[in-house]
Amino acid sequence: RPRGIRAVPPGRPQFPFQEGVGGGVEGGGGGETALQGVVALHRCGVAHNDLAKEPNWLVAPDGSPAVVDFQLAMRPRYRGWRFRVLAYDDLRHLLKHKRTYCPERLTARQRAILARRSWPAAIWMRTGKPAYRWVTRGLLGWSDREGAGDRGQ
């Protein structure tokens, strides 16, 4: 299993869900859509775990969405409950972007997914996230826009 591959696919760091860019969430661009890409990733047994960050999405030269930064990705041996929870959260993060850029295109099922966090995400938001924010924003002075610029300034 290869590790540490540092190749970056060609593409623009423009967020692919903005209107008229990269095929959006459901098509119109270079064929493969972001939703189809996430489903294909999960069919291969990979959970990305970091799709919430806009800098992890690119628009490929053909206009299709592309995902980068697989440092937190997981490929468990079995697709058990842990994988299903991670895949659900991947999908939910994608739908949060869709809600931001084209909310009128959300289906009823997608709205239901957005309304319900996974139980690990709910626990994290109530316990770990406040401490994480205190350390990163208070002690380290980082902003919420990771990848948007140099954090040291």
Side-chain angles (χ1 to χ4, degrees):
R1 195 164 121 177
R3 294 189 179 268
I5 298 171
R6 301 272 178 189
V8 177
R12 302 185 310 273
Q14 188 171 7
F15 197 57
F17 310 111
Q18 296 170 352
E19 196 62 38
V21 176
V25 177
E26 293 168 334
E32 185 178 30
T33 67
L35 186 57
Q36 290 170 337
V38 170
V39 169
L41 197 64
H42 294 159
R43 284 191 183 134
C44 291
V46 176
H48 188 276
N49 290 328
D50 211 10
L51 294 180
K53 295 180 186 163
E54 290 185 12
N56 289 344
W57 290 93
L58 297 177
V59 177
D62 68 353
S64 64
V67 178
V68 296
D69 189 9
F70 283 81
Q71 291 176 320
L72 300 177
M74 294 181 66
R75 189 170 188 263
R77 184 173 293 187
Y78 303 104
R79 292 177 51 155
W81 69 269
R82 186 175 177 209
F83 176 80
R84 288 192 304 270
V85 168
L86 294 171
Y88 180 85
D89 284 339
D90 276 354
L91 176 61
R92 194 167 175 281
H93 287 302
L94 169 69
L95 294 176
K96 285 165 68 174
H97 294 307
K98 182 176 179 179
R99 178 178 61 195
T100 299
Y101 291 104
C102 46
E104 69 283 352
R105 296 168 84 189
L106 286 168
T107 66
R109 175 69 181 132
Q110 290 171 344
R111 288 183 195 281
I113 290 170
L114 285 168
R116 184 173 167 263
R117 283 190 182 121
S118 66
W119 63 267
I123 292 171
W124 164 252
M125 292 302 287
R126 289 191 187 109
T127 60
K129 187 77 174 204
Y132 171 80
R133 283 187 179 146
W134 181 77
V135 169
T136 57
R137 293 182 187 172
L139 294 179
L140 300 176
W142 291 354
S143 72
D144 219 9
R145 300 279 301 160
E146 181 177 332
D150 184 14
R151 292 188 139 188
Q153 297 176 350

